[in-house]
Amino acid sequence: MSELTMVESVCFALDEELGRNSKLVILGEDVGPNGGVFRATQGLLEKHGPKRVLDTPLSENGIIGFAIGMSLMGLTPVAEIQFVDFIYPAFDQLISEAAKFRYRSGGMFTTPMVIRSPYGGGVRGAHYHSQSPEAYFTHTPGLKVVIPSTPYETKGLLTSAMREDDPVIFLEPKRLYRAFKEEVPKGDYTIPLGEARKVRVGGDVTLLAYGAMVHVALEAANIASTNHQIECEVIDLRTLVPLDIKTIEKSVKKTGRMISITEAPKTSGFSAELSALVAERWIEYMEGPIMRVTGYDTPFPLSLEQEYLPTAQRTLETIMKVYNF
Amino acid sequence: MSMIKILDSTGKADPELEPNISKEKLVKMLEYMILVRLLDEKGMRLQRQGRISFSIPSTGQEATQIGAVAALSPEDWIFPAYREPGMAFYRGLPLEDLVNHWFINEKDPQKGRRLPGLFGSKQFRYVNPSAPIGTQIIQAAGAGYAHKYLSENLVDIVFFGDGATSSSDFHSGLNFGAVFKTPTIFFCQNNQWAISVPLSRQTGATSLVDKAQGYGLPGVQVDGNDILAVYNVVKEAVKRAKAGDGPTFIEAVTYRAGPHTSSDDPTRYRPKEELEKWKKLDPISRFEKYLRAKGYITQEGIEEIRSSFDNKLNNLISEAEKLKPPSLKTLFSDVYSELPWHLEEQFNELNALKGRNA
Ligand SMILES: Cc1ncc(C[n+]2csc(CCOP(=O)(O)OP(=O)(O)O)c2C)c(N)n1
Ligand SMILES: [Mg+2]
């Protein structure tokens, strides 16, 4: 057993799965000798060889399109998009191709693959190294969307993603890459997609989050408990598609209050989906407004990044508002 | 760069270049050229009659598709655009599948989800096409990588139009293919038009084949209305790919003799004289002349081929028209490998509504 950071856990999961699945191929920019700009593929080229770890031309539509072709012919491509902010040139390949192959061919052709990419703010990366575009992908039938929140979670979820029969967008909260270490076991363990994780138990307010925001929610929940004797239940969604609606149901029926915390812009964000789901189904259980704590509807800033991102402070104020409604 | 040609307009072959193809195979090639043209006529008529929603003809481009498929082995993979349907039938895809697809009925292998004319077949290694232009070009490069990785001795051939050479996936496809030396054949059907936009608006290059050089690839320009020449250049490209020498770029110079699709009226934008000029270069009549001169086929034989396909199609059409649409479930299946709860819920909702209104 060893303590690993999240980015080491990514690498560990890739390394082990390369060992187990001889058809798995890693491709992307700088994933070879450099081991990835964040070192998520460190040492993999040396260990698994140049046929399996490919530095590609600098072309995101090329990386995803090439991966789709590999997948159609039976390989398991795991593509790295260096920063998710650069995935937009590959949108056509993701939305029109990977997400639709199974459906459009009546189930004849499938494109299982993983697209890994660091996302999110908090690292002083400005517009083009900080975005949270998960809603584009959750809005696209045919894609699964997974976002881990700890090193242990990362290995289990990524391993599952690499065994899925569908294309999976795997977004890694880069501000957590080296934020803390955690025990990450060796060997074959998986966390099934579509099952949320209860991070903190509480009966007063349900906080829904994923990625880095799980830690913000947790921090707010602890302050609410210590200072205001309000007990929040914190749920790490882990997978946005498919979503674990049962865990959400149990929690909101118990607490009667729900807040989602996401760092993407507010309008049409995934938090809006969460609010709508809960309102449509369980409005009669609700004792306060269903609220969102999100990034603002602006391009991602730089100097004022900490003002833009949801914080424990903002979350706490929202908790008080909902609780005292 | 000179264009490769074998048959002249009278159907006489250049003896230096004439490929050695058996009589049976040559006749089969003609049969499927005739079928393609017949399918276009049928498809357009059915669309005009309002019996099917859409039709994509490839009249005038029969030699590219059939010449190419004849040069491949049945295990090689084809990534079509949408003007290559003959390749699938040449390999054995039942016409019944096409007709059911036209009528998007319960027996449509694609479950009634696609515009008529956009179909694929896994069994016959004819990859399901999308509609966004050019996307298949880079995919074919990736597929080639997979064959190489798996030590399968296979090639991928990918088709696209002159318009598609302006797409980003054309660039990435040729680029990745060249970098990774994939066994991919990039086959451009330069039919001179992208709907109403002429070739001169797609490139400032003198000819499309010149683009190959920039990628470090060999490029060949071929008379796309000359089935023997197409056959030869594809054979040559297959040989290179299978020897591990990487991709070839082929520009086939041809002409879209019909409208872009059933929704298009080409008289709005292109001169009559141009069509007249190209009609003289018709790929089918050239090949017919060649085969007749060899004594491999007669005029009656040609008419028999046509009428036998025609009868078969008429029967299939009247059967297909009687069938129901696909079941309600198929609206929700195949989005994912399994049916997630939210799709199950949406299906149940719709199903209950249908039940109430039944
Ligand atoms: C990305 C994209 N843009 C526009 C269209 C609409 N469209 C369909 S076919 C076509 C022209 C394609 O021309 P070309 O590549 O030369 O192929 P051809 O139809 O001539 O065989 C256009 C503009 C599309 N399908 N995809
Ligand atoms: Mg064209």
Side-chain angles (χ1 to χ4, degrees):
Chain A
M1 298 279 258
S2 55
E3 297 237 313
L4 298 182
T5 61
M6 178 179 278
V7 74
E8 287 165 345
S9 177
V10 169
C11 193
F12 195 21
L14 295 173
D15 181 24
E16 283 194 356
E17 199 64 6
L18 276 162
R20 283 186 288 255
N21 177 356
S22 63
K23 292 184 176 171
L24 196 139
V25 174
I26 287 172
L27 67 160
E29 294 157 11
D30 304 292
V31 298
N34 193 36
V37 295
F38 287 101
R39 307 287 173 262
T41 56
Q42 177 128 295
L44 299 183
L45 171 71
E46 292 75 5
K47 186 162 168 191
H48 300 280
K51 259 179 84 175
R52 306 195 64 194
V53 183
L54 306 183
D55 269 338
T56 67
L58 202 168
S59 165
E60 282 68 20
N61 61 305
I63 292 169
I64 304 300
F66 201 72
I68 289 171
M70 290 172 156
S71 175
L72 284 170
M73 298 300 147
L75 300 186
T76 311
V78 179
E80 175 175 303
I81 298 296
Q82 199 162 81
F83 289 82
V84 80
D85 313 71
F86 307 130
I87 204 167
Y88 304 117
F91 239 50
D92 198 25
Q93 288 291 344
L94 282 169
I95 275 92
S96 302
E97 303 293 324
K100 290 184 179 55
F101 245 110
R102 183 189 293 276
Y103 194 77
R104 82 186 197 208
S105 66
M108 255 184 268
F109 291 92
T110 58
T111 53
M113 58 194 282
V114 178
I115 296 104
R116 292 183 36 247
S117 191
Y119 89 103
V123 298
R124 303 196 143 266
H127 304 322
Y128 302 114
H129 303 83
S130 304
Q131 295 169 60
S132 297
E134 65 273 17
Y136 296 125
F137 305 116
T138 61
H139 196 59
T140 302
L143 299 177
K144 292 183 173 171
V145 180
V146 181
I147 305 184
S149 62
T150 79
Y152 175 89
E153 292 280 306
T154 297
K155 183 164 177 245
L157 288 167
L158 182 53
T159 304
S160 286
M162 291 188 283
R163 297 175 189 179
E164 277 289 307
D165 264 341
D166 295 302
V168 179
I169 308 286
F170 193 87
L171 297 177
E172 300 162 3
K174 69 174 96 61
R175 72 194 263 195
L176 300 184
Y177 264 165
R178 295 172 213 288
F180 61 100
K181 288 190 173 196
E182 186 178 53
E183 204 63 49
V184 178
K186 261 205 191 80
D188 196 343
Y189 78 91
T190 57
I191 297 172
L193 305 193
E195 284 181 21
R197 174 174 73 109
K198 207 180 283 178
V199 182
R200 184 184 197 282
V201 180
D204 297 326
V205 184
T206 299
L207 304 182
L208 301 180
Y210 46 84
M213 292 302 107
V214 170
H215 304 279
V216 171
L218 207 50
E219 192 188 337
N222 289 336
I223 302 171
S225 172
T226 313
N227 296 358
H228 307 280
Q229 293 72 53
I230 300 171
E231 295 306 327
C232 294
E233 184 141 291
V234 178
I235 293 172
D236 174 4
L237 295 176
R238 287 172 164 163
T239 17
L240 309 194
V241 181
L243 186 67
D244 180 355
I245 195 75
K246 292 218 173 87
T247 297
I248 298 174
E249 174 177 9
K250 263 190 222 140
S251 183
V252 298
K253 280 184 174 171
K254 176 174 71 175
T255 62
R257 298 180 189 90
M258 191 278 253
I259 298 168
S260 58
I261 302 107
T262 59
E263 57 179 286
K266 187 167 196 172
T267 301
S268 303
F270 193 70
S271 53
E273 183 59 36
L274 294 169
S275 297
L277 278 170
V278 171
E280 276 179 352
R281 289 160 182 265
W282 307 298
I283 193 76
E284 71 272 26
Y285 291 87
M286 303 315 285
E287 293 173 31
I290 299 164
M291 298 285 291
R292 293 173 283 172
V293 182
T294 70
Y296 297 109
D297 288 331
T298 66
F300 200 96
L302 177 57
S303 179
L304 299 179
E305 148 172 85
Q306 290 309 324
E307 280 63 36
Y308 173 92
L309 287 167
T311 54
Q313 180 64 31
R314 266 171 72 194
T315 307
L316 184 67
E317 291 200 0
T318 310
I319 292 170
M320 301 309 293
K321 192 167 163 185
V322 172
Y323 187 77
N324 294 322
F325 180 75
Chain B
M1 174 95 44
S2 67
M3 184 156 79
I4 296 176
K5 272 180 196 284
I6 298 179
L7 288 175
D8 69 16
S9 61
T10 70
K12 236 174 84 202
D14 179 336
E16 302 260 292
L17 299 175
E18 184 180 2
N20 184 14
I21 306 176
S22 72
K23 175 184 163 186
E24 288 68 37
K25 185 160 177 163
L26 287 168
V27 173
K28 180 178 176 185
M29 289 159 72
L30 178 65
E31 279 172 11
Y32 282 86
M33 291 173 95
I34 292 172
L35 173 66
V36 169
R37 186 144 315 172
L38 183 66
L39 288 175
D40 284 359
E41 292 168 20
K42 289 258 173 234
M44 283 306 247
R45 196 167 325 122
L46 288 170
Q47 195 279 336
R48 294 294 183 242
Q49 293 168 344
R51 291 157 75 189
I52 66 174
S53 66
F54 195 64
S55 183
I56 314 178
S58 57
T59 295
Q61 295 177 236
E62 294 88 350
T64 45
Q65 43 188 310
I66 303 299
V69 72
L72 298 171
S73 61
E75 292 77 34
D76 293 329
W77 283 87
I78 300 164
F79 283 75
Y82 42 79
R83 291 196 211 280
E84 298 80 20
M87 300 182 83
F89 304 115
Y90 185 94
R91 283 186 167 182
L93 182 73
L95 284 171
E96 191 182 347
D97 283 359
L98 175 77
V99 175
N100 286 324
H101 155 66
W102 276 356
F103 285 92
I104 48 174
N105 64 30
E106 59 190 325
K107 284 195 178 165
D108 173 2
Q110 297 177 153
K111 306 182 188 169
R113 293 172 181 153
R114 307 300 306 283
L115 279 180
L118 298 175
F119 67 93
S121 162
K122 188 156 191 181
Q123 188 189 346
F124 296 101
R125 303 197 166 196
Y126 184 78
V127 175
N128 189 282
S130 58
I133 292 297
T135 50
Q136 73 279 18
I137 306 174
I138 176 69
Q139 292 167 8
Y145 187 87
H147 300 317
K148 218 165 117 166
Y149 183 95
L150 297 167
S151 307
E152 302 166 331
N153 196 24
L154 297 177
V155 309
D156 294 87
I157 188 165
V158 57
F159 289 83
F160 48 90
D162 43 297
T165 62
S166 301
S167 72
S168 53
D169 287 324
F170 169 83
H171 169 60
S172 54
L174 271 69
N175 199 35
F176 276 61
V179 165
F180 293 109
K181 274 198 166 216
T182 61
T184 311
I185 303 169
F186 297 103
F187 194 111
C188 177
Q189 295 228 42
N190 173 7
N191 64 5
Q192 315 301 326
W193 294 90
I195 310 187
S196 68
V197 180
L199 180 63
S200 58
R201 282 293 167 97
Q202 303 298 343
T203 183
T206 318
S207 76
L208 291 173
V209 70
D210 294 340
K211 295 195 174 209
Q213 198 182 2
Y215 294 101
L217 293 180
V220 201
Q221 195 184 50
V222 63
D223 179 346
N225 288 13
D226 175 346
I227 190 166
L228 297 183
V230 171
Y231 177 90
N232 269 9
V233 298
V234 174
K235 266 262 176 258
E236 202 47 46
V238 168
K239 216 187 285 168
R240 282 196 71 238
K242 292 198 173 173
D245 295 334
T248 303
F249 177 69
I250 296 171
E251 178 197 357
V253 179
T254 181
Y255 192 70
R256 192 195 80 211
H260 172 67
T261 65
S262 53
S263 316
D264 175 49
D265 172 11
T267 63
R268 291 169 59 88
Y269 54 82
R270 66 183 191 187
K272 248 210 206 98
E273 307 77 63
E274 191 182 277
L275 181 61
E276 293 311 315
K277 183 192 108 190
W278 280 93
K279 271 194 170 153
K280 296 197 186 94
L281 303 169
D282 183 74
I284 298 187
S285 64
R286 242 202 270 185
F287 192 45
E288 278 177 5
K289 284 178 197 154
Y290 170 74
L291 293 185
R292 278 215 300 264
K294 276 191 167 310
Y296 287 177
I297 189 96
T298 60
Q299 191 54 42
E300 297 79 67
I302 290 167
E303 271 148 32
E304 231 174 81
I305 294 170
R306 234 187 104 88
S307 65
S308 118
F309 276 133
D310 196 36
N311 290 336
K312 195 167 172 193
L313 281 165
N314 289 342
N315 289 334
L316 290 171
I317 288 167
S318 60
E319 287 306 307
E321 225 167 357
K322 289 185 211 145
L323 295 175
K324 294 192 302 271
S327 75
L328 207 56
K329 262 217 175 83
T330 63
L331 180 55
F332 300 95
S333 59
D334 303 319
V335 180
Y336 298 99
S337 51
E338 77 284 355
L339 194 69
W341 68 267
H342 64 288
L343 289 181
E344 196 178 337
E345 185 177 280
Q346 290 166 25
F347 166 69
N348 289 336
E349 219 174 272
L350 177 62
N351 201 32
L353 176 81
K354 288 272 173 194
R356 284 195 294 279
N357 295 347

